[in-house]
Amino acid sequence: MDILTLDPTKFIDLNATGVCFLFIVGFIGGLVSGFIGSGGAFVLTPGMMSLGVPGTVAVASNMCHKFPKALVGAIKRFRYGQVDVKLGLVMAASAAVGVQMGIRIQQVILEKWGQAGSDLYVSLSFVAVLVLVGGYVMRDALRCARSGGVETTAPLALRLQAIDLPPMLTFRRSGIRISLWFTLPVGFATGMLAATIAVGGFIGVPGMIYVMGVPGLMASATELVIAFVMGLGGSINWAMHGMVDIRLVLIILGGSLLGVQLGAIGTTYVREHMIKMVMAVIMLIVAVSRGIALPRYLVQLGLMDVSPETLGVLGKISFGSMCLALLTGAVIILGSMWKGRAAAREEAHGQA
């Protein structure tokens, strides 16, 4: 059998509890996706892995469910005037190249170290990216909150926008003018990360905000356009290698399509720094969850000696922290929506 084709017997058994958990994970992933535009994969992929789904199957199935959900979210937020279609298509072009590169990296890891190596790679990547990006976004969100919620263009973005390096592109909806060459690495990194760990928004949204100078609300919405293009191309490639579990796709998609619309509505009631805050909080909690799961994969590779009892305890803690991330994200988003909507009603009542 081709080493890149997963044996169907390795797909997990699903019971009622697992189906319900995946639906809830899908709903909250969609809620987060519609709210911050990251695709919600940093919730969905670890959520599937916590049930025992192999890392490559979790990544592939997540990517497969992503493009219809991203399309729904993009259309919803386009109606609110939050999507820069031109920017999304430009970024998606280089992201598509990154997707193919990322899939190839996963295939090489599978060939050399097997499924345990792939799971370790996915988890290590999650921890590294979540801590670095989550910490930076949290610091920026706190700075923005202290300044009264006023969002300013990052110094790096201002410097890059001042460099006249043809071809120069103008994105009127986002209000920026920048060289094409500065958009390419952000798009490529978004695609490569999306294909390797199914999370492109970690790079895409912060990249557009801090490297290109796109407003946070616009960046989070435009990322959904990029996610649609990446998800469609990546799903076809992963499916050709037998990595997509259509059961997982349909379950999480059912929850996601409901959550993504609610999350998109939520963006109309909150300040932009709150989007960053939600992203950072969930990132850091999920990083803890994936970090606790690392010993399991190290034991499978023979790199660490830990008793089965200890691994069982760590597995439960990892699963519990994942549930905490889901609950925290849902509470923050829904709470912000409730407060924002109440404030909007009071303002409208005062003007009446």
Side-chain angles (χ1 to χ4, degrees):
M1 183 186 71
D2 186 348
I3 194 170
L4 300 183
T5 302
L6 189 67
D7 185 344
T9 61
K10 294 184 180 179
F11 283 65
I12 67 166
D13 292 328
L14 287 175
N15 52 30
T17 302
V19 170
C20 291
F21 175 76
L22 286 172
F23 185 86
I24 294 173
V25 168
F27 172 76
I28 297 180
L31 189 68
V32 172
S33 173
F35 193 75
I36 68 177
S38 73
F42 60 97
V43 172
L44 299 171
T45 301
M48 285 186 277
M49 291 180 70
S50 69
L51 290 181
V53 178
T56 44
V57 177
V59 169
S61 301
N62 193 352
M63 182 166 282
C64 186
H65 105 282
K66 179 184 294 185
F67 69 90
K69 180 189 72 175
L71 179 61
V72 172
I75 293 173
K76 191 80 172 179
R77 295 188 65 173
F78 178 79
R79 292 171 179 168
Y80 297 140
Q82 299 173 354
V83 177
D84 190 326
V85 177
K86 179 181 177 181
L87 175 61
L89 295 177
V90 169
M91 294 281 289
S94 55
V97 178
V99 166
Q100 301 310 313
M101 178 65 72
I103 290 177
R104 181 55 189 161
I105 291 174
Q106 272 280 26
Q107 292 170 352
V108 170
I109 292 174
L110 277 172
E111 289 175 349
K112 292 187 175 181
W113 294 287
Q115 192 60 59
S118 176
D119 290 346
L120 179 62
Y121 166 67
V122 171
S123 294
L124 281 174
S125 299
F126 262 110
V127 173
V129 175
L130 288 171
V131 170
L132 290 174
V133 179
Y136 187 86
V137 174
M138 173 64 79
R139 186 181 70 173
D140 186 60
L142 292 174
R143 178 196 59 78
C144 188
R146 286 194 295 268
S147 64
V150 178
E151 186 176 21
T152 58
T153 304
L156 174 60
L158 290 175
R159 288 196 294 268
L160 293 180
Q161 290 176 14
I163 299 175
D164 189 3
L165 182 62
M168 298 293 292
L169 301 177
T170 299
F171 302 101
R172 299 189 185 282
R173 170 112 18 209
S174 297
I176 65 171
R177 183 173 184 270
I178 194 167
S179 171
L180 170 66
W181 301 108
F182 298 137
T183 71
L184 294 180
V186 176
F188 180 83
T190 300
M192 188 169 70
L193 198 62
T196 50
I197 61 175
V199 184
F202 284 168
I203 298 297
V205 176
M208 282 187 279
I209 294 173
Y210 302 114
V211 177
M212 299 172 60
V214 180
L217 197 62
M218 190 71 66
S220 67
T222 302
E223 170 62 24
L224 293 170
V225 176
I226 305 170
F228 167 72
V229 176
M230 291 190 305
L232 180 59
S235 297
I236 295 173
N237 197 326
W238 275 126
M240 291 174 64
H241 291 94
M243 296 294 184
V244 177
D245 187 338
I246 195 63
R247 302 171 305 161
L248 304 181
V249 172
L250 294 176
I251 294 170
I252 62 177
L253 181 60
S256 291
L257 289 177
L258 178 61
V260 73
Q261 297 190 62
L262 189 59
I265 294 172
T267 61
T268 63
Y269 293 106
V270 300
R271 292 188 176 184
E272 293 190 7
H273 75 274
M274 182 56 66
I275 294 176
K276 297 177 183 178
M277 184 69 72
V278 172
M279 179 187 291
V281 169
I282 302 178
M283 279 183 179
L284 295 175
I285 296 178
V286 174
V288 173
S289 174
R290 281 296 88 200
I292 295 172
L294 291 178
R296 171 187 171 189
Y297 308 125
L298 292 171
V299 169
Q300 292 175 353
L301 291 170
L303 301 176
M304 180 181 287
D305 185 16
V306 179
S307 68
E309 293 77 14
T310 301
L311 288 178
V313 173
L314 291 176
K316 291 179 181 179
I317 296 175
S318 176
F319 184 80
S321 56
M322 171 56 60
C323 293
L324 176 63
L326 299 178
L327 181 61
T328 301
V331 169
I332 293 176
I333 294 174
L334 295 177
S336 298
M337 288 173 58
W338 181 268
K339 291 181 180 179
R341 189 171 183 179
R345 281 201 303 264
E346 289 181 5
E347 182 178 353
H349 181 71
Q351 295 176 349

